[in-house]
């Protein structure tokens, strides 16, 4: 089976070393858990994968593309194929625009040649998939509950059918019943659209519930 993420001897230094020789291979279609205490480098690793942090050294390949040598066109494709949902949905939406406009913006960027109606349909499909009433999305972010907003963030992440979904503590802010609902939904989507999942969490219970394999990051090093 091919790899969605292949990382060899990755180092990232900010003021001091944060990732110190990380190697990782995530097969296509898997759900992969990344655990580790606060400050161990989990989000930094996720940011390297989405191209937001430049490695100091090492090899990083995502969906067959070497992040250092790939072309602008390939980078654009990767942006659409790899999506990340963050911990705090309140910060992942602009408070000044209705949620729906922000969902449409992504679909519009990814599929500029589709008609307005087709773009609206992609947004509605994703909303139905995450169990969020599309009529709620005409509201502003502060007019939705945290659980609704996190579902909207998830809908935005899946609307363009990514191949890799990175959830960085995306369920932490939700209460337990909503966590379970959203987790079920992510697992259903995973089998429906063939996603590979990188699930970052402190919560052993959630990781156990959804991941086939788990690695632990400790002070910038993966421990077996
Ligand atoms: N842009 C940055 N500039 C400087 N230092 C940074 C930067 N981003 C992260 N760090 C540092 O890198 C270390 C790892 O941070 P990171 O956010 O990757 O940890 P984490 O494992 O995701 O923690 P948490 O579980 O709290 O989210 C921390 O010491 C952090 O202060
Ligand atoms: Mg983090």
């Amino acid at each position: 089976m091919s790899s969605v993420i292949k990382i060899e001897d990755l180092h990232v230094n900010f003021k001091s070393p944060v990732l110190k020789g990380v190697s990782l291979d995530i097969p296509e279609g898997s759900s992969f858990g990344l655990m580790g205490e606060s400050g161990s480098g989990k989000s930094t690793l996720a940011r390297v994968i989405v191209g937001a942090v430049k490695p100091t050294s090492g090899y990083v390949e995502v969906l067959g593309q070497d992040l250092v040598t790939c072309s602008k066109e390939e980078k654009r494709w990767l942006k659409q194929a790899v999506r990340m949902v963050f911990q705090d949905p309140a910060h992942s939406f602009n408070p000044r625009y209705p949620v729906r406009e922000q969902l449409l913006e992504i679909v519009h960027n990814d599929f500029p040649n589709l008609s307005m109606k087709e773009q609206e349909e992609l947004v509605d499909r994703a909303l139905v998939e995450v169990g969020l009433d599309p009529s709620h999305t005409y509201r502003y972010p502060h007019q939705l509950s945290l659980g609704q907003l996190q579902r909207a963030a998830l809908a935005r992440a899946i609307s363009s059918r990514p191949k890799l979904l990175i959830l960085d503590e995306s369920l932490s802010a939700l209460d337990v019943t909503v966590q379970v609902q959203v987790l079920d939904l992510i697992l259903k989507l995973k089998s429906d659209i063939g996603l590979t999942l990188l699930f970052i969490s402190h919560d052993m219970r959630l990781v156990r519930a959804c991941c086939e394999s788990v690695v632990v990051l400790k002070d910038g090093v993966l421990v077996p």
Side-chain angles (χ1 to χ4, degrees):
M1 196 179 272
S2 60
S3 301
V4 166
I5 297 173
K6 203 185 274 179
I7 294 176
E8 281 159 27
D9 200 24
L10 168 68
H11 290 258
V12 172
N13 300 341
F14 291 123
K15 275 181 192 131
S16 53
V18 172
L19 296 176
K20 309 168 191 169
V22 170
S23 297
L24 192 62
D25 196 317
I26 301 186
E28 190 180 348
S30 61
S31 44
F32 203 89
L34 176 61
M35 297 193 64
E37 54 197 42
S38 186
S40 57
K42 303 181 298 296
S43 296
T44 303
L45 181 57
R47 287 195 204 106
V48 168
I49 294 165
V50 298
V53 164
K54 250 188 145 151
T56 306
S57 66
Y59 178 73
V60 182
E61 184 187 294
V62 180
L63 292 163
Q65 307 294 336
D66 176 340
L67 288 196
V68 173
T69 61
C70 71
S71 67
K72 264 201 175 140
E73 190 59 32
E74 286 159 343
K75 278 207 176 104
R76 210 183 120 79
W77 176 77
L78 275 177
K79 220 175 147 206
Q80 180 180 333
V82 181
R83 286 280 145 89
M84 187 155 156
V85 180
F86 299 93
Q87 174 164 7
D88 182 359
H91 283 114
S92 53
F93 285 96
N94 187 327
R96 281 183 291 186
Y97 300 98
V99 169
R100 191 173 184 85
E101 272 181 39
Q102 302 183 52
L103 296 177
L104 273 167
E105 190 185 349
I106 297 280
V107 170
H108 177 72
N109 283 339
D110 290 341
F111 304 106
N113 297 327
L114 291 184
S115 70
M116 201 56 203
K117 182 165 175 287
E118 288 166 323
Q119 291 175 9
E120 298 263 3
E121 281 167 3
L122 286 186
V123 167
D124 285 335
R125 178 182 67 178
L127 289 169
V128 168
E129 284 169 337
V130 302
L132 186 62
D133 184 340
S135 70
H136 288 2
T137 58
Y138 293 94
R139 301 178 187 169
Y140 288 86
H142 74 273
Q143 295 171 321
L144 293 179
S145 75
L146 213 55
Q148 288 170 333
L149 208 52
Q150 193 60 304
R151 281 168 197 253
L154 203 60
R156 183 173 57 180
I158 61 166
S159 57
S160 304
R161 292 298 186 245
K163 299 193 180 310
L164 169 63
L165 182 63
I166 302 176
L167 301 179
D168 187 358
E169 301 283 1
S170 316
L171 309 183
S172 313
L174 305 177
D175 65 43
V176 176
T177 36
V178 182
Q179 271 182 352
V180 172
Q181 284 171 11
V182 175
L183 194 65
D184 282 349
L185 180 144
I186 290 166
L187 291 177
K188 182 173 180 305
L189 278 172
K190 186 177 162 287
S191 59
D192 286 356
I193 69 179
L195 271 176
T196 302
L197 193 64
L198 175 56
F199 189 85
I200 301 175
S201 177
H202 288 101
D203 191 334
M204 190 63 178
R205 189 182 47 96
L206 288 178
V207 173
R208 279 230 181 92
C210 77
C211 298
E212 295 144 2
S213 35
V214 182
V215 291
V216 178
L217 199 53
K218 193 169 191 310
D219 197 20
V221 180
L222 284 183
V223 290

